[in-house]
């Protein structure tokens, strides 16, 4: 995958996660500073965790202002009254929007984790690629939910981490078969698709309370 | 301590912390995915923090699948209805079980912190060994409690970090005297013993509210 | 800035953040162990995050016992009944005290982030210096609030991160003009001043709920 195409891909994920952070902050009634901080944390958190795990210091987010600028611009646009109104007044819209943008972020960042791990450690095992991918994918959202005092999505949305894991698996299997570009796109789309299917068909799982 | 004996020691801690994560998740009524995620986070969190602090990247958890596999297998077994039933219906059993398994995890991971620090930095000061040991020991449990929205054990269970500290101190003092194997075993057992004594005799401490 | 002057500066920040951690713990009715742990976490958390981001492992806090000793001594003094009484019984006093000590910690640690980044990466861009400064400044307080189960200051106190950012900006602009000593002092004082002005004049910002 060319660097330019991948940068665009990363920026899509950054916008999506920034928007999910901003939406969470607005629903909690935070002011514009809180909205910006939570957007920035959600959008850059996964990448920082990824780079720390791979020993790439300082993390890319601290070297290239583009991610922070895009995340903050997204937060400011989300805070414009007409946009904000949708997030805070339409609960059904909010839930659907969150599913969409959080899934895009999950898909994109799972893939950036795998790609960065491949580049930093060419001899990485599939296990390392999978694990780094999932942790990178879920990291930003976990930081968003913990800072906002919400139950982490990853613990309450059944299938959340599994969607990330299956998308990561598909990308790793396809990596040398069809090239990194298509492997990344298919992996990210699979994550999006799996989360939609889980939401549409209410895939349910045994709960501890059923015992 | 031979690598094989130490691996078994580490896996005991992994099972214990995975079980404590699974138990917390089940008491909160999470589904099987939430139970697996919290078990995995608790069991591997301390080791990841340890390796990041010591500059060992990627952390061992990401290199060797054994820890993740054992943690997930533990979570699945804990989720079997007869096992689950004990955790969610017997409150006294739950409390005693949590004290036991969390203390085993605390003891084991405090010791892995010290041993890994010794290996990574042979000239490490006793202060560094102590601090890395305690942070490694308490790290997984803190991540478990924060993700589950519980008050962190380390802040509410008096004596928690002190037990880890005293066990670490004993192991460091005995390290060159009786060899690492016995130092580690005595350190871990001391942590277990101290936590039991604190629980049995209700060692109480001045609270801020008494002022 | 000479190492000795800077160490004194850092210790002032350590005392301030330790005090803010201890105050939060005491208001929550924790015992002396909880108070010590939260003081230590708040006082050393920002520095650990800073060093991990800059790839300086093990972090300075793990190498030099002085920070942990000062943080714990501060916690013990704060726990003395006459001192504790002020924190837990005078709500207005508590709020003013927290504003003061948290702002001192924010100012000091924002500056240690910038200085450590300059030393570790002499060719660092202003963006990296700014970002590392702010993350170091806010890190300890975020860990304090998350562990205590409070809404993070950074999300509810409008202007919190912006004060850190403006102080960091001033210090970076002045660094080569007037030397690091004065740049650091002016940057830290500016952060203190901005937070006081925001509190006194109730600088208000649009909230999401107004939409």
């Amino acid at each position: 995958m060319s660097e330019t195409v991948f940068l665009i891909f990363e920026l899509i994920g950054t916008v999506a996660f920034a928007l999910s952070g901003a939406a969470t902050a607005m629903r909690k009634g935070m002011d514009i500073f809180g909205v910006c901080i939570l957007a920035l944390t959600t959008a850059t958190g996964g990448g920082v965790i990824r780079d720390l795990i791979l020993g790439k210091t300082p993390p890319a987010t601290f070297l290239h202002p583009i991610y922070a600028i895009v995340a903050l611009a997204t937060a400011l646009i989300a805070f414009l009254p007409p946009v904000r109104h949708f997030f805070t007044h339409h609960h059904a819209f909010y839930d659907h929007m969150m599913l969409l943008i959080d899934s895009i972020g999950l898909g994109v960042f799972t893939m950036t984790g795998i790609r960065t791990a491949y580049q930093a450690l060419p001899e990485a095992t599939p296990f390392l690629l999978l694990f780094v991918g999932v942790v990178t994918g879920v990291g930003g959202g976990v930081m968003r939910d913990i800072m906002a005092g919400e139950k982490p999505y990853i613990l309450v949305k059944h299938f959340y981490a599994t969607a990330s894991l299956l998308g990561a698996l598909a990308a790793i299997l396809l990596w040398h078969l069809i090239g990194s570009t298509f492997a990344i796109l298919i992996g990210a789309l699979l994550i999006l698709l799996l989360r939609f299917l889980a939401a549409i068909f209410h895939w349910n799982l045994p709960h501890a309370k059923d015992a």
Side-chain angles (χ1 to χ4, degrees), chain A residues 46-57 121 128 131-132 135-136:
Chain A
V48 170
I49 295 172
R50 173 197 68 207
D51 291 347
L52 291 182
I53 286 170
L54 295 171
K56 292 186 62 181
T57 55
L121 310 159
L128 183 135
F131 208 166
V132 172
V135 169
T136 305

Side-chain angles (χ1 to χ4, degrees), chain A residues 43-103:
Chain A
T44 64
V48 170
I49 295 172
R50 173 197 68 207
D51 291 347
L52 291 182
I53 286 170
L54 295 171
K56 292 186 62 181
T57 55
T61 307
F62 288 83
L63 295 175
H64 310 298
I66 182 86
Y67 305 105
I69 290 169
V70 166
L72 290 174
T74 304
L76 293 176
I77 292 168
F79 200 76
L80 292 175
V83 187
R84 204 194 320 168
H85 193 77
F86 274 108
F87 279 112
T88 49
H89 285 76
H90 299 268
H91 288 292
F93 176 82
Y94 178 86
D95 286 344
H96 287 114
M97 187 75 189
M98 272 300 281
L99 174 66
L100 176 65
I101 59 184
D102 185 89
S103 300

